Amino acid sequence: MSERNGVAQPPPGVGLEQLRTAAAGCRACELWQDTTQAVFGEGPETARIVFVGEQPGDQEDRRGEPFVGPAGRLLDKALDEAGIDRAEAYVTNAVKHFGHVTKGKRRIHQTPGAEHLRACRPWLEAEFAVLQPEVVVALGATAAKSLISPSFRITREHGQLMPWSPPGAATPAEDDDEDAPHQTWILATTHPSAILRTPAEARDAAYGALVADLRVVAHALA
């Protein structure tokens, strides 16, 4: 079993492929019951940057890959404009199953609850433990609240690069050099799906803000 008491139990000391295989059998919350498959993160173990979204969508659930639907295509465009190669990044979600309600033939996204984030968090911690990224980008409010603070507000605090310790990692000592290799930074920005839902007259500005935030990340990695 990959879970106990409603919280995932990833196998310790393994790489991303072994974690992906184990996550396919996760039953830590009920979301698995009405989905095609778990959608684990994707990208090289050498990735310096990790993008964390909320959860897979309909197309991601069907294909088993993160950010391959309309929001993923918009993210790819923004990354290209910001000078970030997605092939060198790792892309994942805070929740690995597609939470939704079915209306006719359509599956409508439902924001994951605190219990889903809590159940799935060990998978994210395991990914961070393997990757040890330099920069983490929280895409959208759900990821930002989960990784930074429940009080975090994307509208006010997006685009700010902040020192951060991955969940489960040891906290650096106060006298440690903040530029030491162990230091990880985090930045939150708008989820691409929110831009797609933005009224047409404001969409270009919202997209421009996303690209500007991603350029902050590109500069930090330069």
Side-chain angles (χ1 to χ4, degrees):
M1 294 292 288
S2 62
E3 70 285 336
R4 183 181 64 212
N5 298 329
V7 177
Q9 298 290 314
V14 300
L16 294 175
E17 284 305 315
Q18 293 94 330
L19 288 172
R20 182 177 291 106
T21 298
C26 186
R27 303 293 184 264
C29 75
E30 83 287 354
L31 292 182
W32 70 272
Q33 296 177 2
D34 192 29
T35 59
T36 306
Q37 59 200 312
V39 181
F40 206 70
E42 185 175 80
E45 290 195 5
T46 55
R48 299 170 63 199
I49 180 171
V50 174
F51 291 90
V52 182
E54 178 188 277
Q55 66 173 0
D58 180 79
Q59 291 189 33
E60 288 78 10
D61 172 68
R62 297 180 191 279
R63 291 175 54 179
E65 302 171 57
F67 283 90
V68 292
R73 291 191 289 273
L74 187 68
L75 177 62
D76 287 347
K77 182 173 181 285
L79 289 173
D80 185 61
E81 288 192 31
I84 297 173
D85 186 351
R86 174 166 168 170
E88 296 180 358
Y90 187 84
V91 182
T92 191
N93 284 293
V95 173
K96 311 304 188 195
H97 283 103
F98 175 35
H100 63 279
V101 293
T102 301
K103 294 185 177 179
K105 295 182 178 181
R106 298 181 62 204
R107 300 192 298 174
I108 309 300
H109 160 274
Q110 276 197 319
T111 301
E115 69 278 15
H116 304 125
L117 291 165
R118 182 172 58 251
C120 220
R121 191 174 182 87
W123 294 117
L124 198 56
E125 293 180 0
E127 288 172 295
F128 284 135
V130 172
L131 293 159
Q132 300 185 31
E134 294 177 40
V135 180
V136 173
V137 178
L139 296 169
T142 298
K145 290 175 184 294
S146 174
L147 294 175
I148 301 173
S149 166
S151 62
F152 190 90
R153 296 293 179 266
I154 287 281
T155 52
R156 295 199 308 262
E157 301 169 281
H158 69 89
Q160 300 178 28
L161 202 61
M162 300 171 286
W164 180 77
S165 294
T171 302
E174 290 184 4
D175 59 350
D176 280 353
D177 181 355
E178 69 176 6
D179 293 324
H182 65 246
Q183 179 64 65
T184 302
W185 301 84
I186 195 166
L187 177 145
T189 190
T190 307
H191 196 290
S193 65
I195 296 173
L196 294 174
R197 295 192 301 270
T198 299
E201 64 272 14
R203 195 170 300 149
D204 285 348
Y207 175 76
L210 170 62
V211 173
D213 288 348
L214 293 177
R215 284 179 176 148
V216 173
V217 176
H219 179 74
L221 293 172

